Amino acid sequence: MWLGPEEVLLAGALWVTERANPFFLLQRRRGHGKGGGLTGLLVGTLDVVLDSSARVAPYRILHQTQDSQVYWAVACGSSRKEITKHWEWLENNLLQTLSIFDNEEDITTFVKGKIHGIIAEENKNEQPQSEEDPGKFKEAELKMRKQFGMPEVEKLVNYYSCSYWKGRVPRQGWLYLTVNHLCFYSFLLGKEVTLVIQWVDVTQLEKNATLLFPECIKVSTRDSELYFSMFLNINETFKLMEQLANIAMRQLLDNESFLQDKSLPKPRKPLKNISALKRDLDARAKNECYRATFRLPKDECLDGHTDCTLWTPFNKMHIPGQMFVSNNYICFASKAEEACHLIIPLREVTIVEKADSSSVLPSPLSISTKSKMTFFFANLKDRDFLVQRISDFLQRTPSKKPCSSDREWKWNLADPGCEEVPELPSSSPLAVSPMSALSNRPVSFCAGEVPTASQGLLKLFRRNSEELLGPKGAKEKMKEESWNIHFFEYGRGMCMYRTAKTRELVQKGIPENLRGELWLLFSGAWNEMVTHPDYYADLVEKSMGKYNLATEEIERDLHRSMPEHPAFQNELGIAALRRVLTAYAFRNPTIGYCQAMNIVTSVLLLYCNEEEAFWLLVALCERMLPDYYNTRVVGALVDQGIFEELTREYLPQLSEKMQDLGVISTISLSWFLTLFLSVMPFESAVVIVDCFFYEGIKFILQVSLAILDANMEKLLQCCDEGEAMTILGRYLDNVVNRQSVSPPIPHLHALLTSGDDPPLEIDIFELIKTSYEKFSNLKADDIEQMRFKQRLKVIQSLEDTAKKSVVRAVSSDIGFSIEELEELYVVFKAKYLMSCYWGNNRAAAARRDQSLPYLEQYRIDMEQFKELFISLTPWSCGAHTPVLAGRLFRLLDENRDSLINFKEFVTGMSGMYHGDLTEKLKVLYKLHLPPALNPEETESALEATSYFTEDVTTEETQEDKGRRDENGPEKEEKGTSPQDYRYYLRMWAKEKESKKETIKDLPKMSQEQFIELCKTLYNMFSEDPVEQELYHAIATVASLLLRIGEVGKKFSNRPMRKSEDCKANNTQDPVSEEESPTSEQSQNSAVEQQPQADHEDKTCGDAQPEKTQQENQTLGDGSGEGQGSPLQLLSDDETKDDMSMSSYSMVSTGSLQCEDIADDTVLVGCEGSSSAARYGSTIDTDWSISFEQILASMLTETALVNYFEKKVNILQKIKDQKKVERQFSSSSDYELSSVSG
């Protein structure tokens, strides 16, 4: 490539001049190419350690003038061919011109200008988006691609200098982190190490320091552990590795998330030597942290943050902290943890103004809201810029205008006239609290349903209780008064100051009247609800009356959701629960519905109206408990792993015992998934939910630790899991809330008592207090870090489980061993995943459905199958291999969806690797019959395809049809409900039986198909060590079979009506010279284009189904054999000499090497084959041969028998395939003994 001229002082250092003229030098890097000796080793090592560009471009051209000592690099190249092209251009275009100049400075100026002009011309065609990355980084990306053979779509994120420990020896080199791979390259004194690891294969990432290694990063896969150390900034490197591994885990868990991660936003300001991708990933990490800290919606993006102070009126102080500004919110977090958090939605802001600076308050800024609260920030570094950014966001923020009804707002996001923030008159009614905003709006959906009230069900179904008048009622009033005082001092609604005082009040229990409001505020659900008006109502309307698997499961669980509570003992509560769960299932089909969601949602409905409960459920499932409620409850398993880790840290004595008993995995899922609602009395569990909405998962973990700690002595004496479960169950059953004003709801768990002793009651508030005293030092950031570590472990464990279940499912039918199947599964899955991130279109990702069985989740298309087939098949056919792969794919793709699953894939592979000669020949025979040979003609080729389906259709019609008729009405009632499992079991049984086909079931082969078979065999033998013997053998067999076919035709007494019809059609519609191809090129192109061909291209159309397959196939494959030129019957002597040669010449000259048959070629065995007969006629349609005849003929040739019975090790093939995929194809490879990592 041409370079912008750079000054070079020492032209001879480490370079060898190969060509020279008065103005230019062509140089090669020492040590590159042949030889090099010790100097070459040292130079190669230096290039790698110093990351010199000479490692990728070992050739260069320098410009020089006679008297100057300064050289100018004008071009570099990775290969001699590339650099020679530049050299020749300079000689042809510049040398003559330069010789005219007298002044050397003019020569140099002219050359530099010319080179700059060439570069500008080349860059004109490049897309400007590639200029995001700085030049140094692009060079590194180029090195990475050349070194590891990565395609252009594989983006480099960053690269670091480090050491890889191979044994006890550190190898200094470069670590390249790409979106999908971790790569390392080192070259030290002739020892080369190359590593390529996919992020999806990483099972563990750890940063640690040991005696053996200095501070290092350990990367674990299923097969190996790799250690990297000596980083300049190990924390930055490790953080980036975590992010990339996390993206890969999201890809394994849910492809959609992976695809979203790929669509990264454009950077605002390019920074030096950092890729756009790295900046975007950093921004993504900050966004996630920002959203988690302030419980903001998932699409909120942080714009920036700055240090400042906030005036807090409740304690008359200026608290130092940071202000965060995003599209829709201004947030503040104090430096001292829990001193103060503040969230100001821009939709609430009325005025933003700069106050006068003073020595006491430099650069103050005041922000006023609709609820008459004013916030003072000071010590802002760049106040003017900040105010401008906030003003920009305010102009884009939709405004909400107050309406006339008392304490109620109508939110309108679509009003174009609401761009400015209106200043409200003092008399305007104010939305003080979230609950007041919607409390007067009746919510009623679908006239046919029972209407649901606009408030929590608890208010509707509260029985007249004496508790409200007694001491408990007084206590509840005191709680409410405490909160009212708090609201007065700290504000109410989203803009409330959240401090340690707020947390103390939450720990004491939220009053029932305020519970719904505060849950909405603390969870952030209120923000999403007010910014999506009518979203829930629209969703309910769309989802009503529709049925799928999720709605069936919801119906099944509706009456199991708190059946002991009066609110859910009637249709009002049940209908509300049904609507909320169904609406969420339609909002998020990837989750749909999961057990435990019904229990949590029923509790939300007790304190909130339907719409509020819906948005609380959204906050729970999508933000606060991520991945908890998907099909594999991954999130709950991740937090279970964290719980085990925390138990080891805080309760080491108990941890070992619990591990032995296997209790943690049993208890924690039910505790976490239902937030203790299913294991504790309702009045107590709801207090846990209060704290959870304020603190998040951290609180659930610390309460769980407190429960184990309280029962430690008893648990240490347990003998088995059942006893431990009984102890914990009894303890949780007796956690009581003595302050609850609601009448006690009978707990479904039977009270477990031992003997006559009354159970010991535990006060819920005492339990919460203990949990804070003992385990409050848990940090949300630490938990997120632990979540990442556990997510790797859990998802990889689930993937291993999936692999085992798939292998177990297919192993009984396949000849491969378990080990071979596992290796094939790894290769198959890798090929699928590669299509997700390297494929041009993302259809591969879209076709993975997590709800399907493991066997069906990964499926590959024809192109991917061809790549695998070429690298794994024992039947390599050179250029003909992709054609054979396409035929096998069509044969395996029984449901015609152009995708095959793992079972179909290994079935095809097993046919080539296992079984005797007969089985292998049977596979090869099928590959030359429809549907493998000619997929578009399956309609007309009924005879050839009937053996695939006749067993299933005949056996099923009688018995199953009758049974299906019985189930018919039921099916109609259910609409699109899943089919009866027994039906699938019967179908599976039939499928198993139908595979027991004998060789007599195979249809006969036409002459044209037979010629295709011969062509395949010829190509298959072309690279074999004994190819001449095999050629002779197949020529003998082919000639014999051709004669057998001719003889068989004469003895055939069957009426040939189909054939006569075809002949008649030929007479009516003579095939023109162009339409009947004879050359092999046209044969091949026709065969390859058949899958895309339209049905309109059929010669006879749908109106003539009687046409034989042979005539239609003539369009796909031509040959010199015509109807008017039958083969001659020869004597035995002629057979030995002429006929064996004729077959050989027909097979080879018949362009099996893809050469055209010349016009003057006459195939031996054909009578007077004129050009008219050759072009205008078709293959002999009466000629046919059976599989038994082919098998019998093959058995006469020892060479053929040996070839097909030869054992091939597929594990070696898989190993070679992995090497090929990871091979780096660089033309500047050092030709030295290499050690591959």
Side-chain angles (χ1 to χ4, degrees):
M1 59 186 282
W2 297 105
L3 300 173
E6 296 173 359
E7 204 172 284
V8 177
L9 294 175
L10 295 170
L14 308 181
W15 293 83
V16 180
T17 302
E18 294 200 334
R19 296 166 81 170
N21 60 40
F23 303 106
F24 297 101
L25 299 174
L26 190 156
Q27 296 188 323
R28 171 178 56 81
R29 189 73 164 173
R30 282 186 193 275
H32 178 73
K34 293 178 181 176
L38 182 60
T39 315
L41 291 178
L42 292 170
V43 172
T45 303
L46 273 174
D47 286 346
V48 169
V49 173
L50 302 176
D51 196 31
S52 163
S53 58
R55 180 155 63 88
V56 174
Y59 296 94
R60 71 179 182 182
I61 296 174
L62 301 180
H63 165 63
Q64 61 163 6
T65 51
Q66 288 180 348
D67 298 333
S68 173
Q69 296 299 311
V70 178
Y71 296 81
W72 297 89
V74 295
C76 68
S78 59
S79 65
R80 193 180 293 277
K81 184 180 177 183
E82 184 186 351
I83 206 71
T84 305
K85 187 179 168 188
H86 290 335
W87 177 263
E88 287 172 356
W89 188 91
L90 291 170
E91 282 189 328
N92 297 335
N93 294 284
L94 285 191
L95 278 188
Q96 246 179 337
T97 313
L98 294 179
S99 59
I100 300 168
F101 289 93
D102 296 329
N103 188 340
E104 289 188 351
E105 284 185 14
D106 292 345
I107 292 174
T108 303
T109 306
F110 178 78
V111 169
K112 286 162 78 174
K114 194 73 179 169
I115 299 299
H116 279 303
I118 294 169
I119 293 170
E121 189 66 32
E122 284 180 350
N123 289 346
K124 201 195 308 181
N125 300 325
E126 284 189 14
Q127 293 180 346
Q129 66 183 25
S130 62
E131 297 302 318
E132 286 176 5
D133 296 331
K136 178 81 175 162
F137 188 83
K138 283 186 186 169
E139 192 180 296
E141 191 164 47
L142 184 71
K143 287 176 195 167
M144 180 273 295
R145 291 219 183 97
K146 292 185 88 66
Q147 199 72 61
F148 304 102
M150 297 287 179
E152 279 199 26
V153 289
E154 182 69 352
K155 299 291 183 189
L156 178 65
V157 181
N158 215 348
Y159 61 105
Y160 302 93
S161 171
C162 70
S163 290
Y164 161 62
W165 291 80
K166 195 172 173 72
R168 298 197 174 199
V169 183
R171 301 291 175 87
Q172 186 64 27
W174 290 86
L175 182 72
Y176 296 90
L177 304 180
T178 73
V179 173
N180 302 299
H181 295 84
L182 176 152
C183 308
F184 177 82
Y185 179 76
S186 168
F187 178 88
L188 288 178
L189 301 177
K191 297 289 184 185
E192 191 175 49
V193 177
T194 307
L195 294 173
V196 179
I197 296 162
Q198 290 187 23
W199 289 116
V200 289
D201 292 335
V202 173
T203 55
Q204 197 175 7
L205 273 179
E206 281 184 300
K207 184 179 67 176
N208 52 24
T210 62
L211 290 172
L212 182 59
F213 302 118
E215 194 174 25
C216 67
I217 294 173
K218 174 184 166 188
V219 181
S220 304
T221 65
R222 288 177 179 83
D223 310 319
S224 57
E225 291 181 351
L226 312 171
Y227 292 88
F228 300 94
S229 65
M230 300 185 195
F231 291 93
L232 287 173
N233 188 341
I234 192 167
N235 291 329
E236 181 199 322
T237 311
F238 185 69
K239 190 177 173 187
L240 181 58
M241 290 167 98
E242 278 191 330
Q243 271 187 292
L244 294 168
N246 215 10
I247 288 174
M249 291 308 106
R250 298 301 316 175
Q251 176 198 359
L252 285 176
L253 180 64
D254 177 2
N255 283 342
E256 287 184 24
S257 296
F258 169 73
L259 295 175
Q260 285 162 6
D261 282 334
K262 295 280 284 183
S263 59
L264 296 163
K266 296 278 185 277
R268 291 194 179 89
K269 296 178 184 175
L271 299 171
K272 194 177 178 184
N273 288 346
I274 300 178
S275 72
L277 208 53
K278 170 73 168 70
R279 290 196 301 273
D280 288 328
L281 282 169
D282 289 346
R284 192 172 300 281
K286 285 179 183 173
N287 286 337
E288 285 172 5
C289 183
Y290 169 62
R291 289 193 294 261
T293 305
F294 299 104
R295 306 271 169 81
L296 298 177
K298 289 183 85 173
D299 55 353
E300 196 62 25
C301 291
L302 180 65
D303 187 67
H305 57 90
T306 181
D307 289 338
C308 67
T309 58
L310 171 67
W311 170 254
T312 50
F314 50 87
N315 60 1
K316 309 291 189 290
M317 286 176 66
H318 289 282
I319 298 180
Q322 281 193 317
M323 177 196 276
F324 301 84
V325 180
S326 60
N327 315 28
N328 302 296
Y329 298 89
I330 298 168
C331 300
F332 174 86
S334 58
K335 286 187 177 171
E337 197 182 356
E338 291 189 0
C340 183
H341 269 213
L342 180 65
I343 302 166
I344 309 171
L346 291 182
R347 63 178 181 269
E348 296 287 332
V349 173
T350 54
I351 303 168
V352 178
E353 59 182 351
K354 293 181 275 189
D356 295 333
S357 288
S358 67
S359 56
V360 181
L361 268 184
S363 307
L365 178 71
S366 83
I367 297 174
S368 301
T369 68
K370 294 172 184 174
S371 53
K372 295 301 179 215
M373 291 181 76
T374 302
F375 304 95
F376 286 100
F377 297 92
N379 295 289
L380 291 157
K381 287 180 184 172
D382 196 348
R383 184 176 63 167
D384 293 341
F385 175 74
L386 180 66
V387 170
Q388 184 58 48
R389 290 301 292 162
I390 293 173
S391 301
D392 292 345
F393 288 134
L394 276 171
Q395 285 178 354
R396 294 202 290 266
T397 303
S399 169
K400 291 157 286 298
K401 297 181 179 178
C403 65
S404 55
S405 65
D406 186 32
R407 300 174 72 81
E408 181 182 344
W409 292 91
K410 256 190 186 173
W411 312 119
N412 184 4
L413 290 179
D415 188 355
C418 297
E419 290 183 0
E420 295 182 4
V421 181
E423 290 191 27
L424 300 180
S426 57
S427 59
S428 295
L430 301 173
V432 178
S433 75
M435 287 298 277
S436 63
L438 293 168
S439 59
N440 296 326
R441 266 167 59 185
V443 184
S444 180
F445 307 104
C446 302
E449 290 282 329
V450 178
T452 299
S454 61
Q455 54 189 332
L457 295 173
L458 201 64
K459 291 179 183 175
L460 296 173
F461 290 93
R462 178 177 285 160
R463 291 169 290 189
N464 292 327
S465 171
E466 295 176 5
E467 306 287 357
L468 291 172
L469 305 171
K472 288 187 180 178
K475 182 86 174 171
E476 185 78 358
K477 289 285 181 193
M478 285 172 63
K479 277 189 193 176
E480 283 185 32
E481 193 56 38
S482 300
W483 275 98
N484 287 329
I485 293 167
H486 185 79
F487 292 147
F488 181 77
E489 288 183 16
Y490 294 84
R492 188 168 186 174
M494 278 314 295
C495 302
M496 176 170 61
Y497 293 98
R498 299 164 197 222
T499 65
K501 174 79 173 161
T502 317
R503 195 185 74 178
E504 283 173 28
L505 282 174
V506 172
Q507 285 173 34
K508 290 174 183 174
I510 298 175
E512 289 196 347
N513 290 336
L514 295 172
R515 195 160 260 149
E517 171 188 341
L518 293 174
W519 283 0
L520 284 164
L521 287 181
F522 296 147
S523 66
W526 174 248
N527 287 321
E528 289 182 282
M529 187 168 76
V530 296
T531 52
H532 295 85
D534 302 324
Y535 176 89
Y536 172 69
D538 294 343
L539 204 56
V540 169
E541 202 173 323
K542 286 176 191 168
S543 62
M544 272 309 183
K546 292 186 180 170
Y547 294 94
N548 55 26
L549 191 61
T551 56
E552 284 210 347
E553 289 177 349
I554 289 167
E555 286 299 325
R556 188 184 64 212
D557 285 353
L558 280 177
H559 295 278
R560 302 179 192 169
S561 311
M562 294 191 67
E564 66 274 20
H565 197 287
F568 298 100
Q569 290 168 358
N570 65 77
E571 190 52 35
L572 186 68
I574 294 293
L577 184 58
R578 177 188 293 115
R579 280 192 289 269
V580 173
L581 290 173
T582 307
Y584 187 77
F586 275 81
R587 168 189 163 86
N588 191 342
T590 53
I591 290 178
Y593 170 77
C594 172
Q595 278 189 328
M597 282 170 73
N598 60 320
I599 295 170
V600 175
T601 309
S602 57
V603 173
L604 300 178
L605 278 168
L606 290 176
Y607 297 98
C608 308
N609 69 32
E610 272 186 43
E611 186 173 14
E612 292 162 351
F614 171 79
W615 286 110
L616 276 169
L617 185 62
V618 169
L620 266 176
C621 295
E622 296 174 16
R623 288 188 286 108
M624 299 188 76
L625 297 175
D627 304 321
Y628 258 59
Y629 299 106
N630 58 24
T631 48
R632 297 190 278 182
V633 293
V634 171
L637 292 171
V638 167
D639 286 348
Q640 177 183 296
I642 294 173
F643 183 43
E644 288 183 20
E645 205 172 319
L646 292 172
T647 309
R648 275 195 296 276
E649 186 180 337
Y650 289 100
L651 308 169
Q653 282 178 293
L654 189 58
S655 170
E656 206 173 312
K657 180 76 175 176
M658 297 293 276
Q659 208 70 41
D660 293 342
L661 296 174
V663 173
I664 288 185
S665 57
T666 313
I667 57 173
S668 52
L669 273 184
S670 60
W671 292 3
F672 295 164
L673 278 169
T674 64
L675 305 174
F676 287 95
L677 288 164
S678 64
V679 293
M680 256 188 207
F682 169 74
E683 302 82 12
S684 307
V686 83
V687 181
I688 299 272
V689 178
D690 291 343
C691 297
F692 165 74
F693 277 124
Y694 189 78
E695 295 271 21
I697 192 64
K698 161 183 178 283
F699 176 75
I700 299 293
L701 289 166
Q702 73 184 38
V703 165
S704 302
L705 288 170
I707 292 167
L708 289 187
D709 184 52
N711 291 280
M712 188 187 294
E713 288 182 16
K714 291 179 183 175
L715 288 171
L716 286 172
Q717 294 168 7
C718 286
C719 303
D720 56 29
E721 183 187 359
E723 191 179 346
M725 293 291 292
T726 304
I727 288 167
L728 291 170
R730 183 186 302 129
Y731 179 86
L732 289 169
D733 272 338
N734 292 294
V735 175
V736 296
N737 179 0
R738 297 190 180 97
Q739 299 175 13
S740 173
V741 291
S742 296
I745 296 167
H747 189 37
L748 284 186
H749 288 257
L751 286 175
L752 301 163
T753 55
S754 54
D756 300 325
D757 298 334
L760 182 67
E761 290 187 341
I762 302 96
D763 187 75
I764 181 66
F765 299 105
E766 283 299 318
L767 177 62
I768 289 172
K769 186 181 172 187
T770 308
S771 77
Y772 275 103
E773 285 171 357
K774 292 191 175 181
F775 308 107
S776 62
N777 54 351
L778 284 179
K779 299 283 182 293
D781 292 345
D782 296 340
I783 289 171
E784 280 308 310
Q785 183 70 28
M786 292 162 82
R787 266 181 170 172
F788 160 74
K789 183 179 168 185
Q790 292 297 331
R791 194 178 292 121
L792 275 182
K793 198 183 289 184
V794 167
I795 292 178
Q796 294 292 17
S797 167
L798 287 169
E799 288 296 308
D800 288 342
T801 306
K803 179 171 75 174
K804 284 174 185 168
S805 68
V806 168
V807 166
R808 198 165 53 242
V810 302
S811 58
S812 57
D813 308 330
I814 307 295
F816 291 116
S817 66
I818 297 290
E819 183 191 0
E820 288 169 339
L821 282 171
E822 286 184 351
E823 286 296 323
L824 280 169
Y825 181 80
V826 169
V827 171
F828 184 84
K829 188 173 96 172
K831 184 59 69 179
Y832 163 82
L833 291 173
M834 209 170 282
S835 72
C836 291
Y837 48 73
W838 284 354
N840 293 328
N841 57 9
R842 300 301 167 107
R847 63 178 179 248
R848 185 183 176 199
D849 184 354
Q850 294 277 358
S851 63
L852 290 172
Y854 289 134
L855 187 61
E856 293 287 341
Q857 284 190 17
Y858 296 116
R859 295 182 293 166
I860 59 173
D861 58 25
M862 186 180 283
E863 287 309 309
Q864 295 164 292
F865 177 77
K866 280 183 179 176
E867 290 169 22
L868 284 176
F869 181 89
I870 289 166
S871 57
L872 297 177
T873 181
W875 297 344
S876 181
C877 302
H880 191 63
T881 310
V883 178
L884 201 64
R887 289 177 188 166
L888 182 57
F889 183 88
R890 289 191 288 272
L891 184 67
L892 296 172
D893 181 22
E894 291 179 9
N895 60 355
R896 300 287 171 269
D897 61 352
S898 300
L899 298 169
I900 62 168
N901 62 29
F902 179 67
K903 183 171 185 179
E904 291 164 337
F905 169 71
V906 290
T907 302
M909 285 289 139
S910 182
M912 294 183 287
Y913 275 93
H914 297 287
D916 54 13
L917 171 70
T918 309
E919 292 301 316
K920 289 179 182 175
L921 276 180
K922 196 191 288 183
V923 173
L924 201 57
Y925 185 83
K926 286 183 190 176
L927 292 181
H928 296 84
L929 293 171
L933 186 67
N934 238 345
E936 67 180 78
E937 291 178 10
T938 49
E939 289 175 354
S940 58
L942 292 173
E943 182 189 345
T945 55
S946 61
Y947 75 98
F948 285 112
T949 53
E950 63 187 358
D951 289 347
V952 179
T953 50
T954 53
E955 289 174 25
E956 191 214 353
T957 47
Q958 307 277 332
E959 182 187 355
D960 290 354
K961 191 175 179 185
R963 292 190 188 174
R964 275 210 302 268
D965 288 342
E966 290 171 21
N967 294 337
E970 185 187 338
K971 295 289 178 199
E972 285 171 18
E973 284 172 24
K974 280 199 164 186
T976 56
S977 63
Q979 290 191 27
D980 186 0
Y981 288 113
R982 286 174 298 176
Y983 167 73
Y984 285 114
L985 286 169
R986 286 197 298 274
M987 286 301 294
W988 179 71
K990 302 286 185 293
E991 184 188 25
K992 299 279 282 184
E993 288 171 21
S994 68
K995 287 183 178 174
K996 297 171 187 172
E997 60 182 10
T998 64
I999 55 176
K1000 290 181 181 177
D1001 296 326
L1002 295 169
K1004 291 195 171 185
M1005 185 177 269
S1006 70
Q1007 193 176 67
E1008 185 185 19
Q1009 292 161 352
F1010 176 69
I1011 290 167
E1012 278 293 319
L1013 176 61
C1014 292
K1015 181 170 78 174
T1016 301
L1017 288 167
Y1018 174 85
N1019 281 297
M1020 203 185 283
F1021 302 150
S1022 62
E1023 294 174 7
D1024 199 90
V1026 291
E1027 65 178 318
Q1028 288 306 318
E1029 287 179 44
L1030 289 166
Y1031 284 156
H1032 184 77
I1034 197 60
T1036 308
V1037 168
S1039 64
L1040 178 62
L1041 288 168
L1042 284 167
R1043 287 170 63 219
I1044 289 171
E1046 285 297 321
V1047 173
K1049 185 173 72 172
K1050 296 193 176 188
F1051 284 98
S1052 174
N1053 295 322
R1054 275 189 312 118
M1056 305 295 285
R1057 182 174 297 175
K1058 291 182 184 177
S1059 187
E1060 285 162 14
D1061 286 350
C1062 283
K1063 287 177 187 173
N1065 286 332
N1066 278 341
T1067 313
Q1068 290 164 13
D1069 302 307
V1071 183
S1072 67
E1073 186 169 320
E1074 290 86 357
E1075 288 173 328
S1076 183
T1078 58
S1079 72
E1080 182 55 27
Q1081 286 176 346
S1082 51
Q1083 286 177 31
N1084 278 355
S1085 62
V1087 169
E1088 287 168 10
Q1089 289 167 9
Q1090 279 159 8
Q1092 288 83 27
D1094 199 3
H1095 287 293
E1096 291 171 6
D1097 294 339
K1098 292 182 184 178
T1099 318
C1100 297
D1102 294 332
Q1104 294 154 336
E1106 293 89 5
K1107 278 187 63 176
T1108 61
Q1109 58 192 15
Q1110 289 88 348
E1111 187 206 336
N1112 273 348
Q1113 285 162 359
T1114 306
L1115 296 176
D1117 300 283
S1119 172
E1121 294 288 354
Q1123 280 175 306
S1125 56
L1127 288 168
Q1128 290 179 310
L1129 291 174
L1130 302 176
S1131 67
D1132 288 345
D1133 293 334
E1134 285 170 319
T1135 305
K1136 286 177 186 169
D1137 300 323
D1138 297 336
M1139 199 57 202
S1140 59
M1141 276 312 293
S1142 82
S1143 263
Y1144 181 74
S1145 52
M1146 184 194 79
V1147 173
S1148 57
T1149 316
S1151 39
L1152 295 185
Q1153 296 168 312
C1154 299
E1155 295 168 2
D1156 291 342
I1157 302 177
D1159 279 353
D1160 56 351
T1161 306
V1162 178
L1163 296 179
V1164 181
C1166 297
E1167 276 184 13
S1169 180
S1170 65
S1171 65
R1174 205 164 46 245
Y1175 289 116
S1177 61
T1178 62
I1179 287 279
D1180 188 344
T1181 53
D1182 296 341
W1183 189 98
S1184 65
I1185 198 89
S1186 70
F1187 177 71
E1188 294 102 310
Q1189 291 165 328
I1190 293 177
L1191 176 62
S1193 306
M1194 288 270 198
L1195 289 169
T1196 61
E1197 295 291 335
T1198 312
L1200 293 175
V1201 173
N1202 291 342
Y1203 179 85
F1204 282 105
E1205 290 193 340
K1206 181 172 60 181
K1207 296 287 181 192
V1208 183
N1209 184 1
I1210 194 165
L1211 291 176
Q1212 188 58 44
K1213 287 261 185 189
I1214 293 170
K1215 199 173 176 184
D1216 295 342
Q1217 188 258 356
K1218 286 180 181 174
K1219 276 185 188 170
V1220 168
E1221 281 197 348
R1222 294 181 178 182
Q1223 195 159 7
F1224 49 94
S1225 51
S1226 170
S1227 52
S1228 60
D1229 293 339
Y1230 295 98
E1231 297 182 9
L1232 297 156
S1233 59
S1234 65
V1235 180
S1236 175

